[in-house]
Amino acid sequence: TLAMFTDTSLCIGCRACQVACKQWNELPLEQPEWTGGYQNQSHFTDKTYRLVRFIEKPQANGQLQWLLMSDVCKHCANAGCLEACPTGSIVRTEFGGVFIQPDVCNGCGYCVVACPFGVVDRRPGDGRAFKCTFCYDRQKAGLRPACATACPTESIQFGALEDLRARAAIRLAELRERGI
């Protein structure tokens, strides 16, 4: 099974992943939303499948700490959206991702309420569900997802699930050793 590991300690908030996703999936531009900070949308939209979140965390000393996170569909092992879909529109791909087939979707919205992360939503125009495709078309061509390819700090890593779990354990130990 292929997966992604996002190391938030390496994210610099550059949005290269967000732009790469938008470009690869040919998602149209949208007017940025005023969120009160640097985040350009408050949540995923039918034009933004991946979103860099800028979270301000107040510290005891009165300062702010920035938590930066590139957020996206988790392609859950036990995907509520997949289980809730009555039409079979949502499938697990041969690479392990959860993919919505828009031509099969009837727009019922069961997947929207079944997603615990609020990732799945319906298009305003036709009501069909949408979310990150895990770059299924790129994976079929032997390529990595666009977001992982574009990330300059390798905050987003793509590969075999077991390899990523091992990398994550090593990274976690390094950060804990540094007191983070």
Side-chain angles (χ1 to χ4, degrees):
T1 301
L2 295 173
M4 272 195 237
F5 163 51
T6 303
D7 183 344
T8 57
S9 70
L10 294 175
C11 181
I12 59 173
C14 70
R15 294 193 185 103
C17 56
Q18 193 171 315
V19 171
C21 175
K22 200 176 261 295
Q23 287 179 330
W24 181 260
N25 289 293
E26 298 178 349
L27 300 174
L29 296 173
E30 64 188 318
Q31 187 67 32
E33 172 188 333
W34 174 246
T35 61
Y38 291 109
Q39 193 169 308
N40 59 355
Q41 298 295 335
S42 60
H43 204 59
F44 305 105
T45 71
D46 61 327
K47 298 172 187 74
T48 301
Y49 295 170
R50 180 174 276 279
L51 180 64
V52 175
R53 297 195 184 277
F54 290 72
I55 302 160
E56 295 178 7
K57 185 177 175 187
Q59 300 296 297
N61 63 5
Q63 299 293 312
L64 287 177
Q65 177 186 9
W66 283 99
L67 301 176
L68 306 173
M69 179 181 74
S70 181
D71 197 8
V72 72
C73 174
K74 308 333 179 229
H75 297 276
C76 303
N78 297 312
C81 62
L82 189 150
E83 298 300 323
C85 181
T87 65
S89 167
I90 304 177
V91 297
R92 174 125 6 237
T93 71
E94 64 270 30
F95 304 110
V98 177
F99 182 76
I100 298 176
Q101 303 172 91
D103 57 328
V104 182
C105 179
N106 70 358
C108 70
Y110 293 169
C111 56
V112 176
V113 296
C115 176
F117 301 102
V119 171
V120 185
D121 206 348
R122 294 168 54 201
R123 294 185 197 288
D126 61 15
R128 292 181 300 164
F130 70 87
K131 68 171 198 66
C132 162
T133 65
F134 204 33
C135 282
Y136 181 51
D137 52 348
R138 289 178 61 91
Q139 288 189 58
K140 286 195 297 187
L143 301 171
R144 297 182 319 155
C147 57
T149 303
C151 183
T153 62
E154 295 185 2
S155 169
I156 302 169
Q157 299 175 33
F158 174 77
L161 180 59
E162 290 308 313
D163 293 344
L164 293 175
R165 282 185 175 149
R167 281 191 225 166
I170 291 168
R171 180 67 177 155
L172 185 59
E174 289 172 358
L175 291 172
R176 284 188 175 154
E177 188 175 302
R178 292 179 14 205
I180 298 174

